[in-house]
Amino acid sequence: TIEEAAIDVDAAYIADANTPGDGADHLELARPFLEKSIPCFVDKPFTSTLADAKEIIRLAEENNTTVMSTSILSHCDEGIQFKRRFDEIGGQGMLIVKGLGPANGAVIHGLGLVHGLFGYGVESVHCTGSHSLECIELCYPDGRKAFIINPDFEFFPITCTFYCSAYNKLGVIHAKPIGDPEFHTGTRRIFKLFKKMLDTGKPPVPYKQMLEPIAIMEAARIAQKEGRAVFLKDLLEG
């Protein structure tokens, strides 16, 4: 049982194993470890709801331990190299990311790429399209925008590769495809961050940053249903 697995261990890894990878069981799986003060890595998506995400963090803090969750798309070499090219077009302006479909685990990777390239601090979210989370628009307070396109694969080939393009007043640049061969660089960095967390007892990813992607997905669903912009602060502080 999960409770038996939490006996006499140094750390826990909660895998993204819940079909279709929506994170709905991650709080249930992480709780026995956190209640025993065992640090955890929770694979993407951190959770399926903002309430569950906040509860996992509360459990970690209440039991004097740490928890970590992040996407390989925030840490891979190709994203880091692409970010260095923004000066070619006059800095950050608009970003478009082609994702892998509307499942939570896929959307989180698209958000991970946006956060790796444009940073955190999204102010508001819009969402359009024929299905939930098909086209998410992220608006930053300084005017920058990022779009994540999560196509229905009835009309697109199934691939694990992400594509992104950046636009600004001096033109456009396109990133190299980011797929399975490229993912391992992000995985390596995440393992090092997890080891650092175990060594220091401090979360290498700020908890506020772990909550933002989940809040964005929740905001996008509300935005699509109600046809309006949703401000993250209303969800994070509410």
Side-chain angles (χ1 to χ4, degrees), residues 22-31 34 42 45-59 67 211 214 218:
D22 67 358
D25 59 354
H26 286 178
L27 171 59
E28 174 189 353
L29 295 174
R31 183 186 296 276
L34 296 175
V42 181
F46 186 32
T47 58
S48 62
T49 68
L50 187 57
D52 280 4
K54 289 181 176 181
E55 177 63 9
I56 287 181
I57 291 172
R58 186 196 69 79
L59 284 169
V67 64
L211 290 175
I214 308 303
E218 205 153 293

Side-chain angles (χ1 to χ4, degrees), residues 28 117 162 173:
E28 174 189 353
L117 295 172
F162 286 77
I173 53 176

Side-chain angles (χ1 to χ4, degrees), residues 13-222:
Y13 175 93
I14 310 300
D16 175 22
N18 183 39
T19 303
D22 67 358
D25 59 354
H26 286 178
L27 171 59
E28 174 189 353
L29 295 174
R31 183 186 296 276
F33 297 98
L34 296 175
E35 288 180 342
K36 291 182 179 295
S37 301
I38 297 168
C40 292
F41 180 92
V42 181
D43 200 9
K44 54 79 193 169
F46 186 32
T47 58
S48 62
T49 68
L50 187 57
D52 280 4
K54 289 181 176 181
E55 177 63 9
I56 287 181
I57 291 172
R58 186 196 69 79
L59 284 169
E61 293 177 331
E62 183 179 82
N63 291 283
N64 196 31
T65 190
T66 50
V67 64
M68 174 187 171
S69 184
T70 189
S71 163
I72 56 178
L73 270 295
S74 295
H75 300 277
C76 61
D77 283 353
E78 283 67 21
I80 294 170
Q81 293 164 4
F82 185 56
K83 185 177 181 179
R84 293 171 181 158
R85 297 184 57 202
F86 287 159
D87 286 345
E88 297 177 23
I89 56 172
Q92 296 182 355
M94 182 176 73
L95 184 71
I96 297 179
V97 172
K98 177 265 178 187
L100 301 181
N104 287 355
V107 175
I108 283 292
H109 271 329
L111 287 170
L113 187 52
V114 170
H115 282 138
L117 295 172
F118 268 26
Y120 292 82
V122 170
E123 181 177 53
S124 63
V125 177
H126 298 254
C127 188
T128 60
S130 59
H131 63 74
S132 178
L133 307 183
E134 183 174 9
C135 180
I136 304 173
E137 177 186 353
L138 310 177
C139 300
Y140 287 81
D142 59 3
R144 291 174 298 143
K145 290 188 176 183
F147 296 84
I148 306 174
I149 312 300
N150 304 297
D152 186 333
F153 284 111
E154 180 180 352
F155 304 104
F156 288 85
I158 296 176
T159 172
C160 289
T161 303
F162 286 77
Y163 301 88
C164 61
S165 302
Y167 299 78
N168 208 347
K169 56 188 176 181
L170 300 182
V172 58
I173 53 176
H174 305 287
K176 295 179 180 179
I178 305 174
D180 287 337
E182 293 77 36
F183 289 160
H184 71 278
T185 57
T187 303
R188 184 181 70 247
R189 288 191 175 91
I190 288 173
F191 278 135
K192 289 183 177 180
L193 288 172
F194 186 49
K195 179 62 163 57
K196 181 180 179 181
M197 183 177 82
L198 300 184
D199 291 340
T200 65
K202 298 178 181 179
V205 179
Y207 289 154
K208 185 177 181 180
Q209 293 182 8
M210 287 166 50
L211 290 175
E212 184 166 317
I214 308 303
I216 288 173
M217 289 201 303
E218 205 153 293
R221 291 190 173 96
I222 296 172

